[in-house]
Structures are given as structure tokens and as C-alpha cells.
Amino acid sequence: MSDTSTTFVLVPGAWQGGWSWQAVARRLRTAGHDAVTLTLPGLADGDPRTGLRLSDAVNYVAGEIERRDLRDVVLVGHSWGGYPITGAAHRIAHRLAAIVYFNALVPARGVPLIDENPDYAAILRAAIDSSPDGSVSVTFEQVPMLVPELPEAAQRLFHELLVPQPGAYFLQALDVDDVTTLGLPAAYVLSENDRALARPGDELAARIGLTPLMVPGGHQSMLTYPDEVTEALLKCSI
């Protein structure tokens, strides 16, 4: 990639919208780049969640990049967002300059998120089965795992911003190879105190032959350490 302006497309993880990336997006723009934050189907406040499939999230990411006619894109996915960015990358590889996984799942072909961790699987299936629309909500008791560095008052505010996640997003898998087959640069950014990933981040990064670039904080460190996360993303785009 050149030193000219880059467009970063920032995809949030489960239960979150584009708001989770706004602090980093502002810093990327200050550094002279373009930044687009996406909110995937079912994850805006008040969105219906019934009937949504993983393919809807994949199609939305690819479709927004096409609709906006974006090129030389650094496509960044957080947490579960590793699934839609991987699927979208196979559709729009010609528009991408790099792919970055940030505290993210690196999907294995045919393996849904729910099959990555048996403890998580039990929690997710119970939540889906008990929900009238098949969605999964986060309890406040689970929030310290996501933002361990925040005081309780800030954790409660973070919890208020979360919305239920369409259950099929966790139950369905991608039928594509990993992104190494696309001939694009890829990177993995990992927070030092991430407690939330279904598997260790270095193990996920190793799936595509990468060593993580480390940043401080927990799973949501784009909110708590936006300067450091922005710096890491800029390094990944060089």
C-alpha cells in the first residue's frame, strides 16, 4: 500500500453498532484517512432480528463497500465481526488493500462461532432457545469480561448501549476458505487483556499464519485505548 489516504471500513462485533468504532474512526480521519463505521442488520436500536442470517451480514458489508464505490479499503472486523469481513472479502477482494482482525474470530470453513467454545455454546443455545425472536442478549454480569478496565458506572453505560444479537449470526458458518487464498495482506491486532474471545487470540491469528500486534486493554479496547488501537491499524495499513 502507498502512503496516500486510505479508507478504513470498521465492522463491529456482536451486540454493537458502528458507535463502537467512532473514537477510532475520528482519529483515523485526523490522521488524513477516510473511515466508515458500519452497523450490521439487526444491530441498530429497534431493528427487527427475526429471520436474519449470517449471509445478511456478509451481504451488507460487501454491499456497502460496493454502494459507496470504495476502493483500496482496509477492512477491519472486531470479535464476531471476523465472520462478515471474511465472507465479504471473498466477494469484493478487488476493492480491498488489506484485512485486519481486531480481537476477532478468524473463521474456519464450515465452523460457526457457537462451535468454537463448548462453554460459550451452552450459554448461547440457552439464550437463543429462551428468546422469542431467537436473539442473544448480554447480561450485566457478563460485561466485566468485555471491558475489565472500566469502572462499574462505565460498564453499566456500555451495557445500556448493547442490543440483542440475531442468534443465527452465531449458529451459521461460512463456506469459504480463509483470507490467505485471496492474495491480500492480512494482520491480527490483539488486546493484552482480552478475556472474551472463544479461543486465545494468538491461536486464532495462527490460523492464517500471523503473530498478533499487541495493544493494551481488554476486548473493547477501541473504546478504552483508541489512540493505541488507531496506531496499530495504521501500522497494519502500511
Side-chain angles (χ1 to χ4, degrees), residues 163-236:
V163 299
Q165 175 89 351
Y169 285 174
F170 293 141
L171 295 173
Q172 295 171 348
L174 296 174
D175 187 21
V176 296
D177 294 327
D178 67 58
V179 295
T180 62
T181 63
L182 299 176
L184 292 168
Y188 197 103
V189 178
L190 178 63
S191 295
E192 295 169 347
N193 196 28
D194 193 326
R195 304 175 184 174
L197 281 168
R199 292 184 180 274
D202 55 356
E203 178 183 325
L204 293 167
R207 288 181 174 179
I208 49 175
L210 297 175
T211 299
L213 175 61
M214 304 304 295
V215 295
H219 191 62
Q220 301 289 149
S221 64
M222 72 280 228
L223 293 171
T224 55
Y225 290 91
D227 290 334
E228 291 84 351
V229 172
T230 301
E231 181 181 357
L233 294 183
L234 289 172
K235 287 180 180 178
C236 293

Side-chain angles (χ1 to χ4, degrees), residues 121-192:
I123 295 169
L124 295 174
R125 289 191 189 280
I128 291 167
D129 290 344
S130 64
S131 171
D133 62 1
S135 64
V136 179
S137 296
V138 176
T139 67
F140 178 70
E141 289 70 27
Q142 294 166 327
V143 167
M145 181 173 63
L146 299 172
V147 280
E149 63 266 48
L150 290 182
E152 182 179 339
Q155 289 178 347
R156 290 192 179 279
L157 173 59
F158 174 74
H159 184 239
E160 290 287 341
L161 294 172
L162 303 179
V163 299
Q165 175 89 351
Y169 285 174
F170 293 141
L171 295 173
Q172 295 171 348
L174 296 174
D175 187 21
V176 296
D177 294 327
D178 67 58
V179 295
T180 62
T181 63
L182 299 176
L184 292 168
Y188 197 103
V189 178
L190 178 63
S191 295
E192 295 169 347

Side-chain angles (χ1 to χ4, degrees), residues 68-83:
R68 298 167 188 250
D69 196 23
L70 303 179
R71 299 181 184 276
D72 296 322
V73 168
V74 177
L75 182 58
V76 184
H78 172 236
S79 193
W80 163 82
Y83 277 82

